[in-house]
Every structure is written in structure tokens, then in C-alpha cells.
Amino acid sequence: ALRARHGALDSSLGALAADLAAASACSTEATARGGKAAADALSDANATLTDAWTAQQQSLQGLASTLSTAASDQRAANVGTALKAGAADTALQLAGALAAAVAALSEVRDEVAGQVEQLQAQRAAEAAATAALAAQRVALSADVVALSADVGALRA
């Protein structure tokens, strides 16, 4: 009966060790995936910021070109009123594009922060499960040692 219990205990310890290894592997994989997801999100945010910056530079270059052309037109044909209207429209468009880019970046930042929080919570839960499994393994190992001592005492 003790041998059967000893064998069942060994099997339980083996299964527990396999579960512990699987939990550890899952935790490592989740961390890697989370890191990749965060890196991808940051890369996407960087690309969005770069695109917004490029669009802003192009708008500014367009505005500079428009102002230069308009100044020449004003001197040549006295069309200052048309120039002011065009510059005001370009400035409004630029302000709108900048506001949209800032809003998009803020949204991406919030999404990344949420993903990081979720990954941290998942990591903490996995670490707690791993710690519980390790404690259970230690307890089972102590039981095995005690049972082995009892078997040794019974044999003697």
C-alpha cells in the first residue's frame, strides 16, 4: 500500500513539475509576446508621429511657398486680400492637422499604457501561480521524504 502511495506521490510530483515548467514557459512566452506587442505599438506610434511631423513640415513648406507667391502677387497685382484669406485657410488647416495628430498620438499612448498594464497584471498572476506551484512541490517533496523515512522505519 505504501509503495502504491509512493508511486502515486511520485506521479503527482512529476505532473506538478511538468505543470510548473509549463507555467514558467507560458509566463516567458506571454512576456515575450507582451514585449513584442508593446514594441509594435510604440513603433506604430512613432510612425504616426513621423507622418504627422512630415505632414506638418510639408504644410509649413506649402504655407511658406504660398506666402512667397502671394507677396509677389500682391506687389505685382495688389491682391493682398486674397493672400490673407489663403494664408488664414492654410493656418487653419495646419492647426487642424496638428490637433488631429496630437489626438491620434494621445490615443495610441493610452492604448499602449493599457496594454502594458494588462501585461503587468497577467505577469503578476502568472508569477503567483508559479510560486504556488513551487510551494506545492516543496510540500510534496517533504511528504515524499517523510513517507520514505516511514517506509525505512517499517522495513527495519
Side-chain angles (χ1 to χ4, degrees):
L2 284 176
R3 285 182 190 220
R5 188 170 177 199
H6 181 66
L9 194 54
D10 280 346
S11 296
S12 177
L13 280 175
L16 187 57
D19 288 346
L20 183 59
S24 179
C26 181
S27 176
T28 300
E29 180 183 343
T31 299
R33 278 186 289 159
K36 183 182 182 326
D40 289 346
L42 287 174
S43 177
D44 291 345
N46 186 42
T48 301
L49 180 60
T50 300
D51 291 344
W53 182 257
T54 301
Q56 183 179 9
Q57 284 181 322
Q58 289 173 349
S59 293
L60 288 174
Q61 288 172 352
L63 178 59
S65 175
T66 299
L67 290 173
S68 176
T69 302
S72 296
D73 289 346
Q74 182 178 6
R75 283 187 295 269
N78 198 15
V79 290
T81 303
L83 172 65
K84 287 181 182 180
D89 288 344
T90 303
L92 287 175
Q93 290 173 355
L94 179 60
L98 184 58
V102 168
L105 287 174
S106 178
E107 196 174 296
V108 169
R109 185 195 68 226
D110 291 344
E111 288 176 19
V112 169
Q115 289 174 356
V116 167
E117 287 178 16
Q118 288 174 348
L119 288 171
Q120 288 173 341
Q122 181 181 353
R123 174 79 169 157
E126 290 170 352
T130 301
L133 288 172
Q136 191 177 18
R137 181 178 184 193
V138 168
L140 287 174
S141 293
D143 288 346
V144 167
V145 169
L147 285 175
S148 294
D150 289 344
V151 169
L154 289 175
R155 287 188 182 169

